[in-house]
């Protein structure tokens, strides 16, 4: 139940970055497909992939995760097959929650009013089957912008506390043709007094980072002065706002695939060594520095979404933290025996930590790592028989040299 893998140098850069691994994303049917190479693998042994007490309920969220330009009326719905919905939470980027209503039989939920334009929404839906077993779905989408506008969706969130590896990342809802004008209207400053440089990944993504990780305790401010800026022909920015976040303690983790361990370092000192399992020989894990971008107490991983048929469908993967857009996660694993961790690499590309079903056992390594991790923490993988993750696959820009990073500015 992991994913992220196949590669080959003959493939195009785009295929290597996005398509070469049928990895998992939090997909619209409310599924996070992760850790999958796209190549068929022999059926798992009961020790590796059998899942007991799996809910028969299946939750579907429309629109699918990653959908952009969603209409503000008549597009959002949550439904369940072979079960009933117990909760649906829809949260806008600014923290506002969207109200809604269940059908009489609780098999469908719809919002009570219109969605806001130019807004990123996250959906978390939970259902139970007839025996009370839970199924869940997590989805993220953005709504359409008003005509002839240019809107930047940004991370991290205003007021958040993040890890030392957190870049400022903006994704525009339309392609930017005048990158110089847009870049001049976006500035990032910090209390650390370090140089911060911009780098464009294509026509819709603009990231900012310093040469090295942020010092702990740094205050960072993103200033958007896009209102009235023509970023493309006839398309003008509308945002004029400041976003401030704080860098928390200094924590990085080193995953050694050969040793099958993860060493967690806090403020330069090793605080815990955790046995892990990573990508099997046919589904290796990326090397390189990756940044935690999302955290889910539990989420669903379904092999059918990435070409594995009914080979696995785990509706309650515990303590899941996304490392790449293409689907690498570090997450809890309760279906492999405790002896697997530290001795075997059996995943489809993710990093697995020993856990128990339900995500409530406070004594497991996965619970400890989840509770002690922030969005923005760095997880570095070494000694894997794979390539280095591409810098634009997730928040992986730390794998690019400072010289090359600075050269990616439109103003350089």
């Amino acid at each position: 139940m992991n994913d992220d893998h196949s590669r080959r140098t003959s493939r195009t850069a785009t295929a290597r970055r996005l398509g070469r691994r049928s990895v998992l994303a939090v997909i619209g049917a409310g599924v996070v497909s992760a850790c999958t190479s796209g190549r068929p693998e022999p059926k798992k042994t009961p020790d590796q992939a059998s899942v007991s007490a799996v809910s028969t309920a299946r939750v579907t969220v429309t629109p699918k995760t990653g959908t952009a330009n969603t209409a503000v009326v008549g597009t959002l719905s949550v439904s369940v097959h072979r079960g009933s919905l117990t909760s649906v939470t829809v949260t806008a980027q600014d923290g506002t929650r969207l109200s809604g209503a269940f059908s009489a039989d609780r098999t469908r939920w719809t919002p009570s009013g219109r969605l806001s334009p130019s807004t990123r929404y996250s959906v978390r839906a939970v259902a139970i089957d007839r025996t009370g077993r839970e199924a869940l779905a997590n989805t993220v989408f953005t709504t359409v912008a008003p005509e002839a506008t240019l809107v930047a969706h940004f991370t991290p969130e205003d007021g958040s506390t993040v890890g030392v590896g957190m870049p400022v990342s903006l994704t525009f809802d339309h392609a930017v043709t005048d990158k110089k004008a847009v870049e001049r209207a976006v500035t990032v400053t910090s209390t650390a007094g370090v140089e911060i440089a911009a780098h464009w990944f294509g026509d819709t993504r603009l990231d900012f980072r310093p040469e090295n990780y942020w010092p702990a305790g740094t205050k960072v401010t993103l200033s958007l002065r896009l209102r009235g800026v023509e970023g493309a022909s006839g398309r003008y920015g509308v945002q004029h706002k400041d976003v401030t976040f704080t860098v928390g303690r200094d924590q990085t983790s080193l995953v050694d695939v050969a040793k099958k361990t993860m060493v967690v370092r806090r403020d330069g000192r090793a605080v815990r060594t955790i046995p892990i399992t990573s990508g099997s020989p046919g589904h290796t894990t990326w090397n390189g520095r990756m940044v935690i971008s999302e955290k889910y107490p539990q989420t669903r991983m379904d092999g059918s979404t990435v070409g594995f048929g009914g080979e696995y469908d785990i509706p309650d993967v515990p303590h899941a933290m996304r490392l790449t857009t293409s689907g690498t996660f570090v997450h809890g694993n309760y279906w492999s025996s405790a002896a697997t961790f530290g001795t075997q690499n059996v995943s489809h590309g993710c990093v697995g930590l020993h856990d128990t079903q339900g995500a409530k056992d406070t004594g497991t390594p996965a619970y400890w790592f989840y509770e002690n991790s922030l969005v923005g923490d760095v997880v570095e993988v070494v000694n894997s028989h794979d390539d280095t993750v591409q810098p634009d696959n997730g928040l992986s820009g730390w794998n690019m040299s400072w010289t090359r990073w600075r050269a990616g500015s439109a103003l350089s």
Side-chain angles (χ1 to χ4, degrees):
M1 153 266 4
N2 305 350
D3 100 325
D4 213 292
H5 0 315
S6 44
R7 81 234 19 84
R8 276 318 59 103
T9 56
S10 63
R11 298 190 182 181
T12 64
T14 301
R16 288 183 59 209
R17 185 175 66 247
L18 296 175
R20 64 188 235 170
R21 307 178 181 232
S22 330
V23 288
L24 153 171
V26 180
I27 48 188
V31 176
V32 175
S33 294
C35 316
T36 305
S37 69
R39 294 194 298 271
E41 183 180 71
K43 293 287 184 178
K44 301 288 179 259
T45 65
D47 180 59
Q48 292 173 316
S50 65
V51 180
S52 61
V54 173
S55 176
T56 59
R58 292 294 177 267
V59 182
T60 299
V61 179
T62 303
K64 295 181 179 181
T65 206
T67 300
N69 298 321
T70 301
V72 297
V73 177
T75 52
L76 174 60
S77 67
V78 180
S79 61
V80 63
H81 179 58
R82 296 196 301 272
S84 58
L85 293 165
T86 58
S87 67
V88 175
T89 305
V90 181
T91 308
Q93 184 174 354
D94 64 0
T96 303
R97 290 194 173 182
L98 185 69
S99 60
F102 295 97
S103 62
D105 61 0
R106 298 189 74 90
T107 61
R108 186 175 177 83
W109 180 95
T110 53
S112 300
R114 298 166 61 93
L115 306 177
S116 297
S118 304
T119 301
R120 183 173 64 210
Y121 285 95
S122 61
V123 181
R124 177 176 173 81
V126 182
I128 57 173
D129 63 13
R130 288 185 300 175
T131 63
R133 296 172 298 190
E134 284 192 346
L136 63 160
N138 296 288
T139 300
V140 177
F141 66 93
T142 56
T143 52
V144 67
E147 191 70 24
T149 61
L150 181 69
V151 176
H153 301 283
F154 55 84
T155 191
E157 304 294 338
D158 187 30
S160 59
T161 298
V162 300
V164 297
M166 189 72 203
V168 174
S169 185
L170 290 82
T171 301
F172 294 92
D173 60 349
H174 292 279
V176 174
T177 56
D178 192 343
K179 293 179 179 176
K180 288 184 178 181
V182 168
E183 192 174 323
R184 289 191 189 101
V186 181
T187 59
V188 178
T189 57
S190 79
T191 58
V194 295
E195 179 186 359
I196 301 168
H199 187 96
W200 285 90
F201 292 111
D203 295 330
T204 59
R205 178 174 167 185
L206 175 62
D207 283 16
F208 293 82
R209 52 157 271 214
E211 181 175 6
N212 301 304
Y213 301 147
W214 300 105
T218 299
K219 303 286 186 182
V220 183
T221 300
L222 163 66
S223 296
L224 297 174
R225 299 295 182 264
L226 291 166
R227 185 179 299 162
V229 175
E230 188 175 19
S233 179
R235 193 168 291 281
Y236 295 86
V238 296
Q239 291 159 296
H240 184 101
K241 66 184 302 182
D242 291 335
V243 176
T244 301
F245 61 92
T246 302
V247 179
R249 75 290 178 276
D250 180 351
Q251 179 171 301
T252 60
S253 300
L254 182 67
V255 173
D256 190 320
V257 170
K259 294 180 180 179
K260 304 172 185 65
T261 60
M262 178 171 67
V263 178
V264 182
R265 303 187 71 86
R266 179 80 59 85
D267 298 321
R269 182 175 63 88
V271 295
R272 186 154 181 172
T273 298
I274 302 174
I276 61 98
T277 183
S278 65
S280 64
H283 307 90
T284 48
T285 304
W286 292 112
N287 283 298
R289 293 184 284 177
M290 293 165 266
V291 174
I292 296 173
S293 60
E294 301 170 14
K295 294 180 65 181
Y296 296 105
Q298 292 186 94
T299 197
R300 179 183 174 197
M301 294 183 181
D302 184 356
S304 66
T305 66
V306 287
F308 277 76
E311 195 165 319
Y312 65 82
D313 184 359
I314 303 177
D316 56 352
V317 177
H319 300 124
M321 291 176 280
R322 181 182 288 279
L323 299 180
T324 68
T325 306
S326 64
T328 311
F329 277 71
V330 54
H331 61 74
N333 175 331
Y334 65 79
W335 49 92
S336 295
S337 68
T340 301
F341 304 92
T343 62
Q344 301 177 60
N345 288 323
V346 299
S347 83
H348 287 71
C350 290
V351 177
L353 314 179
H354 177 56
D355 210 342
T356 56
Q357 191 170 16
K360 295 180 180 179
D361 186 342
T362 61
T364 67
Y367 181 96
W368 181 90
F369 187 65
Y370 185 90
E371 291 297 314
N372 284 276
S373 293
L374 295 172
V375 167
D377 282 350
V378 178
V379 177
E380 182 175 6
V381 177
V382 297
N383 295 327
S384 177
H385 297 295
D386 204 334
D387 299 328
T388 298
V389 65
Q390 290 295 305
D392 60 346
N393 190 354
L395 304 176
S396 303
W398 299 105
N399 296 287
M400 186 180 291
S401 71
W402 183 235
T403 299
R404 185 181 166 201
W405 181 272
R406 294 176 77 250
S409 166
L411 304 177
S412 60

